Amino acid sequence: VQLQASGGGLVQAGGSHRLSCAATGSVSIIDAMHWFRQAPGKQRELVATITDLGDTTYSDSVRGRFAISRNKDNAKNTLYLLMNNLKTEDTAVYYCNADYIEHGQLRGSWGQGTQVTVSS
């Protein structure tokens, strides 16, 4: 499973922006997918998760502002993160991640990260 994140950029505070993550390879074995982010000088944190059944969870810092979704209808199994009411503290490199089962073992795959900068 390979992941390619895209959509990062410079956004004004209060604005909206959408990230995408295209999964290729053995997409049929993907289980849950996630968005993480890492701000300068901070640890990588989990932002949002969507299960294979479409159930979603969010970190306290983004709940009510961000929405994770997933399109399994195409061969790439694309993951999205819609970010609304952006704040300067949302500035970070955003990474997509996918859980999958291979040979009976749970594995994870990471995208390369995409920078989101929120200006005041």
Side-chain angles (χ1 to χ4, degrees):
V1 175
Q2 297 81 43
L3 302 176
Q4 180 74 36
S6 62
L10 177 63
V11 191
Q12 283 196 330
S16 297
H17 202 70
R18 191 179 79 162
L19 303 180
S20 301
C21 175
T24 56
S26 302
V27 298
S28 61
I29 63 174
I30 292 176
D31 188 11
M33 299 184 78
H34 319 270
W35 284 101
F36 287 77
R37 69 184 181 186
Q38 187 166 19
K42 294 188 177 182
Q43 289 188 329
R44 190 173 298 188
E45 63 170 341
L46 177 62
V47 173
T49 294
I50 185 165
T51 70
D52 188 51
L53 297 179
D55 297 324
T56 59
T57 56
Y58 299 92
S59 67
D60 290 342
S61 60
V62 307
R63 187 177 298 111
R65 299 189 298 121
F66 288 14
I68 188 172
S69 61
R70 181 172 173 180
N71 180 3
K72 297 196 294 181
D73 294 334
N74 56 48
K76 290 189 175 181
N77 198 341
T78 307
L79 179 71
Y80 301 99
L81 184 68
L82 177 61
M83 305 179 290
N84 297 311
N85 191 20
L86 281 160
K87 305 176 180 180
T88 55
E89 51 263 43
D90 294 320
T91 295
V93 178
Y94 284 73
Y95 299 88
C96 53
N97 174 274
D99 298 332
Y100 61 97
I101 304 294
E102 186 175 62
H103 305 306
Q105 291 190 334
L106 179 64
R107 300 183 183 276
S109 181
W110 290 93
Q112 83 285 9
T114 185
Q115 175 72 47
V116 174
T117 302
V118 183
S119 62
S120 59

